[in-house]
Amino acid sequence: DAGVIQSPRHEVTEMGQEVTLRCKPISGHDYLFWYRQTMMRGLELLIYFNNNVPIDDSGMPEDRFSAKMPNASFSTLKIQPSEPRDSAVYFCASSLGTGDPSRGYTFGSGTRLTVV
Amino acid sequence: GENVEQHPSTLSVQEGDSAVIKCTYSDSASNYFPWYKQELGKRPQLIIDIRSNVGEKKDQRIAVTLNKTAKHFSLHITETQPEDSAVYFCAPVKAAGNKLTFGGGTRVLVKP
């Protein structure tokens, strides 16, 4: 298995532009999570899905952020319009909701977003 | 929601010495306790975990101990090596597959 795949790895965009981050979870995993990591706020959960359904979006900072999971193998996180304070590393992770928890959560390589 | 705190926030040790990081959580329903290691510019990776029915687990130079009564668990690294330098996160969970709530992280520096 190739693991959790995120694209792009790096994104530089101008303030006000729309940004779309993509994630392909591990096949068979039924939970998908979006995290944001900054020096100031650490690793914070933005939203997570179970069987493609959003379960908890309380971490989404504001209406400029939206996330979708149209099928079990794909999710997007969109920021529109982007602002410099959105600059961060965004991680996607997936996990298996049942079975042995020691299999652990698996993170993607992350997308480093810079908004100028 | 879960309140998770890690101590210390930074830890500098001499190569060969031991390092201990403590994680305190608030939700007594938490039953799965992983530790993640994140090297600079890389993703967090699971290094060890423990379930609530076990008090201690060891894997070579790393171990995790759990005190459910006091609601804390600790990461122990023995015979530290330069490659142990990284940021370590605890993330207690209520059920398999449920969301992780990360502690603030502990930056460990192993000096050769």
Side-chain angles (χ1 to χ4, degrees), chain B residues 27-112:
Chain B
D27 193 337
S28 57
S30 295
N31 60 1
Y32 172 58
F33 307 92
W35 282 96
Y36 284 82
K37 176 183 180 182
Q38 187 177 29
E39 297 175 352
L40 189 63
K42 298 192 175 179
R43 77 192 82 185
Q45 291 197 301
L46 179 71
I47 55 170
I48 196 167
D49 55 13
I50 195 168
R51 304 183 211 192
S52 58
N53 58 346
V54 177
E56 181 174 356
K57 181 177 177 181
K58 192 172 180 180
D59 183 3
Q60 297 181 13
R61 295 186 299 107
I62 59 173
V64 55
T65 58
L66 171 65
N67 185 328
K68 278 217 80 178
T69 304
K71 289 190 280 189
H72 65 75
F73 60 113
S74 298
L75 176 69
H76 305 255
I77 308 173
T78 58
E79 300 172 28
T80 53
Q81 300 170 4
E83 54 264 36
D84 296 328
S85 296
V87 179
Y88 293 82
F89 295 94
C90 63
V93 186
K94 271 197 277 192
N98 209 330
K99 62 183 181 180
L100 297 172
T101 302
F102 283 89
T106 298
R107 185 173 300 277
V108 174
L109 175 64
V110 180
K111 295 179 288 186

Side-chain angles (χ1 to χ4, degrees), chain A residues 3 12 21-22 34 49-51 55 62 66 74 81 87 101-102 116:
Chain A
V12 181
L21 312 181
R22 297 172 176 80
W34 282 102
F49 297 82
N50 177 218
N51 292 322
I55 302 300
E62 49 198 273
S66 62
F74 184 65
S87 297
S102 65
V116 298

Side-chain angles (χ1 to χ4, degrees), chain A residues 24-41:
Chain A
K24 177 179 168 55
I26 290 175
S27 177
H29 279 191
D30 55 352
Y31 280 82
L32 183 139
F33 308 81
W34 282 102
Y35 290 88
R36 177 172 69 174
Q37 186 173 34
T38 61
M39 288 295 292
M40 290 297 293
R41 300 176 67 89

